[in-house]
Amino acid sequence: MSDSFQASVARSAALEKRLADEPASLRMLTGDRPTGALHIGHYFGSIRNRVRLQQAGAEIWQLIADYQVITDRESVGAIRDNVRNLVLDNVAAGLDPERVTMFTHSAVPALNQLMLPFLSLVSVAELQRNPTVKDEAKAAGITSISGLLLTYPVHQAADILFCKANVVPVGRDQLPHLEQTRVIARRFNERYGATFPEPDALLSDAPLILGTDGTKMSKSRGNVIELRMTADETAKKIKGAKTDSDRVITYDPEGRPEVANLLTLIALCEGVAPEVVAEEIGDGGGGALKRRLTEAINDELAPLRARRAELAEDPSYVVGILERGNARANEVADDTLDEVRTRMDMVYS
Ligand code: TRP
């Protein structure tokens, strides 16, 4: 893993250079699971990166991975609301629906069909080794792994390869899936002839953001600051954040992880170093730290929230974005599937 991690880091750095030199050669695809609203962890970890790539001139494909919702849970939940909220969050954050193709798995049959030949290229043992799948099963308390949970990394390869994306901005947890995608592309090309590019991960350099209680940010723990919250809701969430009893604020991620996390968030919003923020707050204690964070986040998100509220007023707006995106995704998926059938000698007309 560590060798391949090093290789991923090196390829990610090479991509940054390509983004600066020849952005039009990059086709980026990312995906979100519609299981809930986007929060500031997503915002600093990936959404700002998406907007940066868009602004640099890369082509952007944004998948709302609805079939991935049922990998680790039995019910689709409030899926219609969640899909709608994902579109609103991404657009309000700066993704331009005129330039970005936003689409859902379930509306693109040819994408899903690619899963069949791809499944023939991987072994069960290989799938069972995927560390991210194992972690997800464990986190969800799943003891009997479904066929979809085991094989969704292959489906994710179809997400990426159907449109021949060459850049996938991800966090470290997604690297096993990206490696699986590269392997599938390589094996398909070897067996049937050159068809798919091997995509590279673009690793985010944003630091890991914890929830307001200092543990992993997750909706079920109630420690999340959602993008769509009001300024008051945000203030309340931050007021309840965990700190410690030392009045002098210092940036010490090892010794004081909760305080360091709040400092990191201020630093990301204000574009300064967390150590500098700590020094400025000095002996102001947890109260001053939280006041500053509340202001920083509310300032950072105010334009996004205003825009989001405006867009949400027209229910047909999101519908239109998805209709256009799904139509475009279907065109490209149909072309790729035709190419795959031709390569596999499965054209009978
Ligand atoms: N697995 C990703 C997640 O849980 C979501 C996803 C689905 C994705 N398809 C993708 C990410 C394709 C990148 C590329 O966050």
Side-chain angles (χ1 to χ4, degrees):
M1 177 62 196
S2 118
D3 269 6
S4 92
F5 180 63
Q6 285 312 320
S8 299
V9 171
R11 285 199 303 268
S12 177
L15 266 183
E16 287 290 352
K17 191 167 160 15
R18 221 171 123 193
L19 183 64
D21 297 345
E22 35 174 352
S25 72
L26 298 180
R27 177 177 279 187
M28 181 206 95
L29 179 131
T30 57
D32 295 312
R33 291 182 187 189
T35 52
L38 292 183
H39 53 62
I40 49 167
H42 297 119
Y43 179 74
F44 288 116
S46 66
I47 299 191
R48 289 211 310 190
N49 220 2
R50 294 173 194 177
V51 174
R52 181 172 72 95
L53 278 137
Q54 169 185 273
Q55 270 153 4
E59 188 182 317
I60 315 281
W61 291 67
Q62 178 66 43
L63 165 65
I64 298 179
D66 52 0
Y67 276 136
Q68 260 192 36
V69 170
I70 45 170
T71 51
D72 65 353
R73 66 201 71 201
E74 283 171 12
S75 139
V76 294
I79 192 141
R80 291 169 64 95
D81 278 348
N82 291 341
V83 168
R84 188 179 142 73
N85 282 324
L86 266 188
V87 174
L88 288 172
D89 284 338
N90 272 294
V91 175
L95 283 194
D96 176 359
E98 300 296 322
R99 290 175 50 197
V100 175
T101 305
M102 291 199 196
F103 66 105
T104 55
H105 276 142
S106 58
V108 189
L111 180 163
N112 296 301
Q113 190 172 329
L114 288 177
M115 176 114 172
L116 281 169
F118 288 180
L119 277 170
S120 76
L121 300 168
V122 298
S123 72
V124 171
E126 195 174 2
L127 292 169
Q128 283 169 335
R129 275 198 301 272
N130 187 306
T132 298
V133 171
K134 284 195 225 170
D135 287 349
E136 282 168 344
K138 202 166 148 207
I142 292 172
T143 46
S144 162
I145 293 188
S146 76
L148 184 63
L149 180 53
L150 183 67
T151 57
Y152 90 80
V154 181
H155 192 232
Q156 188 155 325
D159 297 344
I160 297 167
L161 297 178
F162 94 92
C163 67
K164 305 193 179 178
N166 49 16
V167 187
V168 185
V170 285
R172 266 185 87 151
D173 66 312
Q174 296 293 307
L175 285 177
H177 300 348
L178 209 67
E179 196 48 43
Q180 182 72 77
T181 302
R182 292 167 61 84
V183 165
I184 288 172
R186 202 175 309 141
R187 289 181 188 156
F188 188 95
N189 294 345
E190 276 163 17
R191 201 172 286 185
Y192 301 108
T195 310
F196 294 111
E198 281 181 41
D200 290 319
L202 187 67
L203 289 161
S204 161
D205 58 4
L208 183 71
I209 298 189
L210 303 171
T212 49
D213 58 357
T215 69
K216 186 174 152 50
M217 193 179 277
S218 97
K219 206 179 163 77
S220 55
R221 298 177 204 233
N223 63 4
V224 169
I225 300 169
E226 292 178 355
L227 299 184
R228 62 174 176 175
M229 279 178 173
T230 64
D232 283 349
E233 286 166 342
T234 306
K236 225 167 135 193
K237 243 311 120 138
I238 294 174
K239 216 168 186 177
K242 192 168 166 204
T243 51
D244 56 34
S245 54
D246 190 341
R247 271 199 74 77
V248 181
I249 298 303
T250 53
Y251 180 67
D252 174 8
E254 294 281 312
R256 306 176 74 185
E258 298 92 357
V259 168
N261 184 51
L262 303 185
L263 286 166
T264 298
L265 281 170
I266 297 173
L268 286 166
C269 292
E270 296 183 357
V272 291
E275 291 86 351
V276 174
V277 180
E279 199 146 306
E280 284 169 4
I281 297 173
D283 62 5
L289 174 64
K290 290 178 181 180
R291 277 193 299 278
R292 174 126 169 210
L293 176 59
T294 303
E295 202 177 309
I297 290 196
N298 283 339
D299 280 356
E300 171 76 20
L301 296 182
L304 182 158
R305 287 166 168 170
R307 195 163 149 59
R308 194 185 192 290
E310 208 176 292
L311 299 173
E313 273 176 26
D314 175 7
S316 67
Y317 181 72
V318 167
V319 174
I321 291 175
L322 287 177
E323 270 173 9
R324 285 198 305 278
N326 284 331
R328 166 113 179 95
N330 270 301
E331 268 171 43
V332 170
D334 287 345
D335 283 351
T336 302
L337 185 60
D338 277 346
E339 190 184 348
V340 161
R341 286 195 192 105
T342 305
R343 291 270 183 221
M344 297 177 75
D345 211 15
M346 290 180 171
V347 179
Y348 309 114
S349 49

